[in-house]
Amino acid sequence: MRVHVVSDVHGNSEALARAGEGAEALVCLGDLILFLDYADHGRGIFPDLFGAENASRLVKLRNQRRFEEARVLSAELWAGIGTDRREAIEGAVRRQYAELFAAFPAPTYATYGNVDLPRLWPEFARAGVTVLDGEVATIGGRRFGFVGGGLPSPMRTPFEISEEEYAAKVAALGRVDVLCTHIPPALPELTYDTVARRFERGSEAVLDAIRTTQPDYALFGHVHQPLRRRMRIGRTECVNVGHFNATGRPWVLDI
């Protein structure tokens, strides 16, 4: 059985519509929404509202780790347009989700990324799209375990949860053949972004589960330009599949 795996779609619905071609199932590890493209500051919800120049200012502040100044800038921009922030963002997110969920082939197995809004997914997850978080699905006779979301970070993205809640979801999976998470295990080689030049949050609970249960694969995204895209932890092959927005190509798993 051939399974295609994607993560960090970030609005690339056109490529997503082709992602299942030649596969019997698609696995998506989240971050469907494009709020702000760090490579192209004219793409995303933020520049649509405030322009590419302000998006560039925000990216610069975040890349310099001046997170409080970035939050002040964002607050000033929102105050200047006189629009309810939550209402404006949710409207834009719904428009993106409508396109992205329509692009999913059947069957698709998906979990949330840290920039996703899980409470909106039931509006768009049609038949053939199975949403899992802290749950297991059997695909091609193998147990796939899914854990969505991210951990608290200075970015304060929409779906960040406590380490305790995240660890409980990992523990609920038990032993699986393929461990599917949005964020990577907490190893420097897998969490360092070479372009942003910073460490992203990885999970100690995921790392412990890999070392303890030794699944065949641990698949994840979140870090767009990792120091290492794959490495082994014991017998487990760890693979970063979070390049989909940039390349439009899924990672291929043959079972």
Side-chain angles (χ1 to χ4, degrees), residues 17-252:
R18 303 189 301 267
E21 292 177 358
E24 293 165 87
L26 178 72
V27 166
C28 179
L29 304 184
D31 271 11
L32 299 183
I33 290 304
L34 179 61
F35 186 75
L36 176 58
D37 191 328
Y38 279 64
D40 180 351
H41 301 167
R43 296 180 65 235
I45 294 171
F46 190 90
D48 285 348
L49 288 166
F50 304 115
E53 183 178 344
N54 284 320
S56 296
R57 293 172 63 195
L58 186 69
V59 169
K60 181 178 180 180
L61 290 172
R62 285 181 172 180
N63 284 342
Q64 292 175 344
R65 298 171 178 80
R66 295 157 61 187
F67 296 110
E68 187 55 40
E69 292 175 67
R71 282 190 280 274
V72 170
L73 171 62
S74 181
E76 290 175 349
L77 292 171
W78 280 106
I81 64 172
T83 300
D84 180 77
R85 181 172 183 162
R86 176 180 172 127
E87 187 176 303
I89 290 176
E90 285 197 7
V93 168
R94 281 189 166 93
R95 289 189 290 274
Q96 289 193 17
Y97 276 159
E99 289 187 10
L100 291 158
F101 276 86
F104 277 138
T108 290
Y109 302 86
T111 196
Y112 316 112
N114 62 294
V115 303
D116 284 312
L117 297 180
R119 60 189 173 77
L120 299 184
W121 281 34
E123 297 180 26
F124 302 95
R126 57 184 169 76
V129 178
T130 303
V131 179
L132 304 112
D133 188 18
E135 300 165 285
V136 175
T138 300
I139 307 173
R142 299 291 192 92
R143 285 172 54 84
F144 283 64
F146 293 82
V147 176
L151 294 172
S153 76
M155 305 293 279
R156 298 184 183 177
T157 51
F159 190 43
E160 295 179 352
I161 61 177
S162 70
E163 293 191 28
E164 294 76 15
E165 184 179 353
Y166 193 93
K169 292 195 294 185
V170 174
L173 302 178
R175 292 184 179 273
V176 296
D177 300 301
V178 184
L179 177 58
C180 299
T181 60
H182 178 68
I183 61 175
L187 287 175
E189 301 93 329
L190 301 176
T191 57
Y192 186 73
D193 190 304
T194 60
V195 174
R197 291 186 294 181
R198 65 170 179 255
F199 288 98
E200 302 289 354
R201 285 297 305 268
S203 168
E204 293 286 352
V206 170
L207 180 59
D208 289 344
I210 292 170
R211 287 173 169 165
T212 302
T213 66
Q214 290 285 274
D216 295 331
Y217 293 93
L219 309 179
F220 48 87
H222 188 55
V223 183
H224 297 172
Q225 298 90 199
L227 190 62
R228 293 184 64 177
R229 289 205 174 275
R230 59 195 303 163
M231 65 182 291
R232 295 193 73 85
I233 301 175
R235 64 181 293 274
T236 301
E237 185 75 12
C238 300
V239 184
N240 182 311
V241 301
H243 50 71
F244 188 75
N245 175 257
T247 68
R249 296 193 300 270
W251 187 76
V252 177

